[in-house]
Amino acid sequence: MAPLGGTAVQDHVALAEIELCGELIIAASAAEDRLSLESIDEVLRVADEKDT
């Protein structure tokens, strides 16, 4: 049985990955065709990292 003290542990890296996956799923579902690599990079904010 779980403790009642509210000792939930949050893995911030996992939460960030889940958020990015959600954004990618939303973009893919809104697209008429497959997402291009550039579109995927934009959704995942990879282009921002390349520019720095």
Side-chain angles (χ1 to χ4, degrees):
M1 188 167 157
L4 298 176
T7 59
V9 176
Q10 291 188 355
D11 183 341
H12 297 284
V13 174
L15 291 174
E17 288 178 0
I18 292 167
E19 182 180 344
L20 288 174
C21 286
E23 291 176 15
L24 192 56
I25 291 168
I26 291 168
S29 67
E32 293 182 14
D33 203 6
R34 295 179 73 162
L35 293 176
S36 67
L37 294 177
E38 291 81 14
S39 296
I40 293 170
D41 285 350
E42 183 178 326
V43 170
L44 299 178
R45 294 170 265 191
V46 174
D48 295 341
E49 297 296 322
K50 289 180 184 176
D51 294 338
T52 57

